[in-house]
Amino acid sequence: MSHVPTLSPFARFVKSQAFAGLLLFASALLAFALANSPWRASYEALQHAHLSVSLAGHTLDLTLAHWVNDFFMAVFFLLVGLEIKRELLMGELNNPRRAALAVAAAVGGMLVPAALYALLNRGGPGAGGWGIPMATDVAFALGVLALLGSRIPTGLKIFLTALAIVDDLGAVLVIALFYTSELNLGALGLAGVVWLLALGAARLGVRRLGIYGILGLFLWYFIWRSGLHATIAGVLLALAVPLRRVTPLTQQFRLQESDSELLDAALRDAEDVLELAQSPLHRLEYLLHPYVTYAVLPLFAFMNAGVALTGAGLGRVTLGVVAGLVLGKPLGVLGASWLAVRFGLAHLPEGVNWPLMSGVGLLTGIGFTVSLFVTNLAFADAALLSEAKLGVLAGTLVSAVLGFVWLLRARPPEAPLAQD
């Protein structure tokens, strides 16, 4: 019987993220077209339509845009948190030597765009939007890499993915620390109690995802009431979901937690016990990924990318966002990477040279999802909001085109000739 090779988890991830990029682009394009069409009023009415949910005498009434940005995006950040935790504990970011390049690049790619934006908007009404050009949208960026096919080394894709995960962690910290309204300490205390319950359940070895789902709903509600942005609940819940595998398969092969590569190989050959063998974190990550990819992110793009060009100015905010994404991101990523390699803290991935790194630096200017998300937190003024969104869309498009063209012309390093 012929054996059909299965894709590795990373290969499946890249393929799904590439498709997510296409969905995001189509959703954003549809929103932009509607906002600049005779149906603009209907599009805006849909954004502001109210939806109420009642439970035990309590009613939660939000607009559709707020349901998407506050609730469904919490699911997105839950997935982000799961990926961050997995990478920190057993992935690329677990090894300090391998993680050094991605961490340095991500930090440089956050600080330089923020500084450039702040410089261009110093003293102006848009000064608070410095966090907008800091993020990289991994779905879009990997989608561009997928269009280039096998000419892109796997090491470059892994580097970009690790960089984007560190980038997401930085974005979560920025949102929590700098884009938070006044705190309701009572609600924050209740959120802390729920989070401790989730951590306690993980400590006791609870593996039923339903338990964490129920606790997550309460956590989201109390975080939402506390003044912190509700999406922070997703990251906090992710930190509580257990990663440890305790299964008959593990005992059968007598593997330690450090033997993750051998265990993963065993799992691929034992599909009948896959569900039991996976940790709750892995199961939840695989469960959420299609919903986030095919529903949450396209819906977010549709609700937030509808910028009407009529009345939208090209002011300092737009200039700051475009400059931060198109110039600041590649300068920060490349500069920090070069310093890390120069001082021996890291080395380039196998099969990767500086021209390829330059192309990836340009692709990191694809901000989109998190950049639009921070835009909504940074500005309440409609004019500034439109300026910033226009900057995000323009900067993302320019970065994608520049990165694609650059990498299309770049050549990987030549393999050394074999000696006779």
Side-chain angles (χ1 to χ4, degrees), residues 178-191:
F178 300 103
Y179 291 101
T180 294
S181 58
E182 294 183 6
L183 292 178
N184 179 333
L185 296 181
L188 190 61
L190 290 173

Side-chain angles (χ1 to χ4, degrees), residues 144-145 148 151-152 156 355-360 363 402-411:
V144 173
L145 286 185
L148 294 163
R151 68 169 52 239
I152 301 301
L156 196 65
L356 290 174
M357 288 287 289
S358 300
V360 162
L363 289 184
L402 289 178
F404 178 80
V405 173
W406 183 284
L407 288 171
L408 194 62
R409 300 175 63 87
R411 294 289 182 267

Side-chain angles (χ1 to χ4, degrees), residues 56-74:
H58 297 277
T59 300
L60 191 60
D61 183 68
L62 299 172
T63 65
L64 288 181
H66 278 104
W67 275 112
V68 171
N69 294 343
D70 290 354
F71 182 78
F72 288 108
M73 283 301 284

Side-chain angles (χ1 to χ4, degrees), residues 196-219:
L196 288 176
L197 288 174
L199 291 172
R203 185 71 176 175
L204 292 173
V206 175
R207 298 172 58 83
R208 293 179 63 88
L209 294 181
I211 300 296
Y212 296 101
I214 293 171
L215 291 173
L217 289 175
F218 281 101
L219 182 61

Side-chain angles (χ1 to χ4, degrees), residues 129 131-132 135 171 174-175 179 369-379:
I132 296 171
V174 166
I175 291 169
Y179 291 101
T369 303
V370 180
S371 292
L372 284 176
F373 186 79
V374 175
T375 296
N376 290 324
L377 301 181
F379 299 127

Side-chain angles (χ1 to χ4, degrees), residues 13 17 73 76-85 87-88 93 102 106-107 109-110 134-139 142 160-176 231-232 235 297 329 366-371 373-374:
F13 174 73
Q17 288 296 312
M73 283 301 284
F76 165 73
F77 277 98
L78 170 59
L79 181 60
V80 167
L82 295 171
E83 292 173 345
I84 290 172
K85 181 175 179 178
E87 289 296 318
L88 286 173
L93 303 179
V107 172
M110 289 186 282
M134 294 176 66
T136 295
D137 192 309
V138 69
L142 285 175
L160 177 59
T161 303
L163 183 156
I165 287 173
V166 179
D167 221 40
D168 286 337
L169 177 59
V172 169
L173 293 175
V174 166
I175 291 169
T231 52
I232 300 298
V235 179
L297 291 181
K329 289 294 288 188
I366 300 175
F368 199 72
T369 303
V370 180
S371 292
F373 186 79
V374 175

